[in-house]
Amino acid sequence: MHIGIMKFQVILMMVMMVMSFGREGKEGDKDVNYDEAKVPAYDLPELLVTAEGRRITTAEEWYSLRRPQIMSLFSNLVYGRVPEPSTPIKLTFREVKKDEAFMRGKATRKDVEIQIKTEKGAKTMRILLFVPNGVTKPVPAIMKHSFNNTRSGDFDVGFLRSDRLKNGWPLGKILDAGFAFCAVYHEDLVRHNEVEFRDSIHRLFYPEGQSFPKAHEWGVLSACAWGGMRALDYLEADTEIDAERVAIMGHSKMGKTALWTAAQDQRFAMAISAQSGCAGAALWRRKSGETLKKMVTRFPYWLCRNAQKFVEQEDDLPVDQHMLLACIAPRPVYVHSGVKDTWADGRGEYLSAYHASEVYRLLGKKGLESEKSPEVGKAVMDGEVGYHIRNGGHSIEGGDWEKFIQFASKHLKKEN
Ligand code: GCU
């Protein structure tokens, strides 16, 4: 073989190895468990027993007693509190671009700026919205917490149109299924791995003298979630959208965010989390794949500072992630894992959805019935809790989207 080609192949192999090690966090991480047999024994906190020891037996008690307790624990100890809804902010929406002939007339594309203003200053988000043309409106929508910069030119090229691209948006399929699609960029309000919180959205809410979030105040994921809520404020004002039928979704970091967004803001009708893993759907107590320690070492403020107190003390957390999914009930929730995405602990993601199902049942809905994870590639979606695990690693692929769209159609299309 030509020596140049061989060299190229060796370099390529090395690059691929480094990339896959990076993903699984293996570089120097001897202390990550991927072996099911080594998952420690654990007791999950009870969903249906209050902090005072009272057993919850009715939907009413869940909504009035237990759910608020759990939400307060997630806010104060895990993700960090967002500003109270009563905090005065001024929101302004500005359509900066409109293309009614997008995708050869299939959709109308709108680029909308959302300005958030307080007496301390202003910050602007830019969302992208694609609304199917020629359908009975208002339409339901899928909102994605997105890694793709909504100000970038990507959206004018093939990226959007291909159903095969990994992590692309299969816009054609989404629109054909009768959904609008809305993308919210994750770095509009806070940087990916923010550590200073000087220019982020936080600064608009600091009282005199404060310059960093307090231990129980919003970290990065909470700030992204809050952005999704503001995007929903816009959709409520857009007469082409039925804002009561909006699903929030995301992958990985944004899958974590999607679940937290839906739990906090009950206007969202559904949540879809793709490979959300640690601080997403996966159970903390399994300590399988990424752990709290790994997360706060790399991304110190994705969660709030209080969460750091539970590093290597996961069993002391008064919540686990099945409780986050339960707070989305009775609204449908879908969880997606990948066999090779061991960093995100697919089994832990399934178990979380399975245990959350206890609350779905209490509320008269159907959850997951078997503790056993379903066969690879086979989606369970006959109730309000859906799940699939597929072969392969950390990405969203065409087949995943098909299942998300099927689940969303089942629950959010009026004609069904
Ligand atoms: C890192 C991080 C994960 C996260 C992922 C992503 O791997 O450790 O928690 O899900 O990035 O957002 O792609």
Side-chain angles (χ1 to χ4, degrees):
M1 201 189 295
H2 188 276
I3 193 83
I5 295 180
M6 268 177 65
K7 261 196 196 155
F8 174 75
Q9 285 180 341
V10 170
I11 291 171
L12 192 69
M13 256 177 62
M14 283 168 62
V15 168
M16 284 171 69
M17 277 166 69
V18 167
M19 279 172 68
S20 73
F21 282 2
R23 170 62 211 157
E24 301 206 338
K26 282 183 186 160
E27 351 80 284
D29 286 15
K30 299 266 173 336
D31 53 342
V32 179
N33 180 41
Y34 296 109
D35 181 352
E36 193 56 38
K38 293 195 180 130
V39 169
Y42 57 88
D43 283 320
L44 290 179
E46 294 264 16
L47 265 170
L48 296 182
V49 178
T50 65
E52 300 75 26
R54 174 165 164 188
R55 183 154 288 280
I56 299 296
T57 56
T58 64
E60 211 288 313
E61 288 171 345
W62 164 256
Y63 290 123
S64 64
L65 299 175
R66 186 56 172 151
R67 187 181 186 281
Q69 275 184 345
I70 297 174
M71 284 302 295
S72 166
L73 293 169
F74 275 114
S75 283
N76 289 297
L77 298 181
V78 182
Y79 300 101
R81 297 190 75 84
V82 300
E84 293 300 325
S86 56
T87 315
I89 56 169
K90 186 167 182 292
L91 281 189
T92 318
F93 309 128
R94 192 166 70 89
E95 196 175 275
V96 287
K97 184 169 167 178
K98 184 170 187 176
D99 176 3
E100 290 178 351
F102 192 74
M103 286 179 100
R104 289 195 220 93
K106 196 189 247 313
T108 297
R109 165 187 167 161
K110 299 183 201 179
D111 298 32
V112 178
E113 282 200 352
I114 302 177
Q115 191 202 53
I116 300 151
K117 206 168 168 193
T118 69
E119 54 185 17
K120 303 265 161 164
K123 191 122 186 111
T124 303
M125 315 166 38
R126 163 101 54 120
I127 62 168
L128 287 180
L129 181 63
F130 304 89
V131 187
N133 285 338
V135 294
T136 327
K137 290 172 183 175
V139 289
I142 297 179
M143 182 190 289
K144 187 169 196 275
H145 280 299
S146 176
F147 288 112
N148 304 101
N149 191 334
T150 45
R151 288 178 175 84
S152 96
D154 286 355
F155 308 102
D156 299 317
V157 293
F159 174 77
L160 275 178
R161 299 161 202 219
S162 167
D163 293 344
R164 285 183 295 276
L165 260 185
K166 276 194 182 182
N167 301 326
W169 304 337
L171 256 199
K173 283 194 180 141
I174 296 170
L175 295 162
D176 285 344
F179 287 94
F181 181 75
C182 173
V184 182
Y185 181 46
H186 76 130
E187 287 206 295
D188 267 350
L189 300 185
V190 63
R191 278 193 301 261
H192 177 59
N193 197 5
E194 181 71 68
V195 291
E196 295 182 335
F197 296 96
R198 260 191 254 141
D199 303 320
S200 60
I201 185 72
H202 300 73
R203 109 186 125 79
L204 302 192
F205 297 92
Y206 289 140
E208 226 29 64
Q210 189 178 348
S211 58
F212 201 80
K214 293 187 180 145
H216 67 287
E217 287 179 346
W218 48 345
V220 171
L221 301 185
S222 269
C224 292
W226 194 81
M229 301 176 205
R230 304 296 66 84
L232 186 56
D233 293 340
Y234 167 74
L235 294 187
E236 281 189 332
D238 187 320
T239 53
E240 296 191 301
I241 304 295
D242 180 351
E244 290 183 359
R245 293 186 289 150
V246 178
I248 181 75
M249 62 120 17
H251 178 237
S252 205
K253 174 192 178 195
M254 302 331 286
K256 311 175 203 299
T257 304
L259 293 171
W260 179 226
T261 308
Q264 291 182 92
D265 190 334
Q266 300 192 58
R267 292 176 301 167
F268 284 99
M270 172 186 293
I272 302 170
S273 87
Q275 306 178 323
S276 56
C278 185
L283 294 173
W284 294 112
R285 281 166 173 74
R286 282 173 47 85
K287 298 162 199 147
S288 179
E290 185 175 21
T291 55
L292 180 55
K293 182 175 178 186
K294 294 292 166 197
M295 175 170 283
V296 304
T297 307
R298 283 157 213 239
F299 309 107
Y301 305 114
W302 276 12
L303 304 173
C304 70
R305 287 194 284 128
N306 272 337
Q308 300 180 0
K309 298 170 184 156
F310 293 92
V311 164
E312 295 184 326
Q313 310 289 333
E314 287 90 337
D315 294 280
D316 292 347
L317 262 172
V319 288
D320 211 316
Q321 295 304 100
H322 64 308
M323 298 163 103
L324 179 65
L325 270 58
C327 286
I328 298 173
R331 296 161 294 155
V333 64
Y334 195 93
V335 173
H336 150 55
S337 314
V339 174
K340 285 209 179 132
D341 189 20
T342 49
W343 185 238
D345 185 23
R347 176 68 182 146
E349 293 180 309
Y350 179 79
L351 282 173
S352 185
Y354 166 72
H355 289 296
S357 298
E358 190 180 3
V359 170
Y360 280 84
R361 280 192 290 277
L362 178 75
L363 305 181
K365 303 289 180 187
K366 186 164 183 211
L368 298 173
E369 276 158 14
S370 168
E371 192 164 356
K372 212 168 141 249
S373 296
E375 254 170 67
V376 174
K378 193 174 163 291
V380 194
M381 57 165 94
D382 53 342
E384 269 71 21
V385 185
Y387 180 86
H388 82 271
I389 180 164
R390 61 144 167 79
N391 274 317
H394 193 62
S395 58
I396 303 187
E397 295 174 14
D400 302 321
W401 269 108
E402 273 162 31
K403 296 181 177 76
F404 303 157
I405 293 170
Q406 199 185 332
F407 189 70
S409 301
K410 194 173 150 207
H411 294 287
L412 299 185
K413 296 295 292 295
K414 275 190 178 146
E415 48 283 14
N416 292 334

